[in-house]
Amino acid sequence: MKPIRNSAKAIIVEDGKVLLTKNKDDAGFFYLFPGGGQDHGEELKDAVLRECLEEIGESVVVHDLVYVREYIGKNHEFASWDAEVHQVEFYFKCSLASSDSTITNGANPDEAQVGVEWIEMKDIDEIRLYPKPLGKILKNNIIEACYLGDMN
């Protein structure tokens, strides 16, 4: 059995758009919030800062923790290959450190990552976003501390 993994994620919203990593698998494109696994001895805020540099190539200012979500693989659509994964995801409200930035893949993007994209909040329901319910929450402008549990 794998240990529970912590993951730190960034929610970056500007001008009615959210910044997401664009990824590709056999079913096509899908989108994720920038971020990833916390290293041993690393604070969550430092993990989200490092992961953003790796995935979007930009430094961020880490603000408040706004959501905590659990991902228990056996309960989701990828259970056939992800069943033993149990991850606790910490979503931080973030902003880009520089307003002059040109967003591209960072130096160490995830394996499936093919780009970075600003998605209009009004279009969030039209993309394959993980976790999908978080897109609906953001679209309704609900950004407050909240435990989300094991949402699909």
Side-chain angles (χ1 to χ4, degrees):
M1 184 174 298
K2 293 181 179 181
I4 296 174
R5 177 179 187 250
N6 286 340
S7 179
K9 306 272 189 177
I11 297 175
I12 304 167
V13 177
E14 289 185 8
D15 302 322
K17 298 175 186 173
V18 62
L19 185 66
L20 302 169
T21 63
K22 184 176 185 177
N23 304 269
K24 188 170 185 186
D25 63 11
D26 293 339
F29 294 114
F30 66 96
Y31 294 83
L32 301 170
F33 291 87
Q38 178 185 30
D39 291 336
H40 182 78
E42 180 179 46
E43 286 190 36
L44 284 166
K45 64 180 180 59
D46 294 330
V48 77
L49 179 63
R50 174 183 51 76
E51 287 286 341
C52 282
L53 283 169
E54 290 177 3
E55 293 179 2
I56 66 172
E58 291 293 330
S59 185
V60 296
V61 177
V62 182
H63 302 289
D64 292 334
L65 173 66
V66 288
Y67 304 113
V68 176
R69 176 218 183 199
E70 288 193 70
Y71 174 83
I72 301 172
K74 68 180 183 177
N75 299 335
H76 295 273
E77 65 185 279
F78 303 112
S80 61
W81 61 271
D82 216 12
E84 294 206 16
V85 173
H86 186 170
Q87 180 167 282
V88 180
E89 299 172 344
F90 299 87
Y91 288 82
F92 290 86
K93 186 176 179 183
C94 296
S95 56
L96 295 175
S98 170
S99 60
D100 299 341
S101 44
T102 303
I103 307 297
T104 60
N105 272 1
N108 189 20
D110 285 346
E111 187 176 312
Q113 185 177 331
V114 296
V116 179
E117 217 172 284
W118 287 102
I119 301 293
E120 293 275 351
M121 209 58 88
K122 65 180 180 58
D123 298 330
I124 202 114
D125 296 331
E126 298 171 21
I127 62 170
R128 188 163 54 122
L129 172 68
Y130 296 110
K132 189 154 198 74
L134 188 49
K136 292 181 192 312
I137 290 169
L138 291 174
K139 186 175 180 178
N140 291 318
N141 203 27
I142 303 169
I143 299 181
E144 57 189 43
C146 181
Y147 172 70
L148 301 171
D150 183 29
M151 65 185 333
N152 280 322

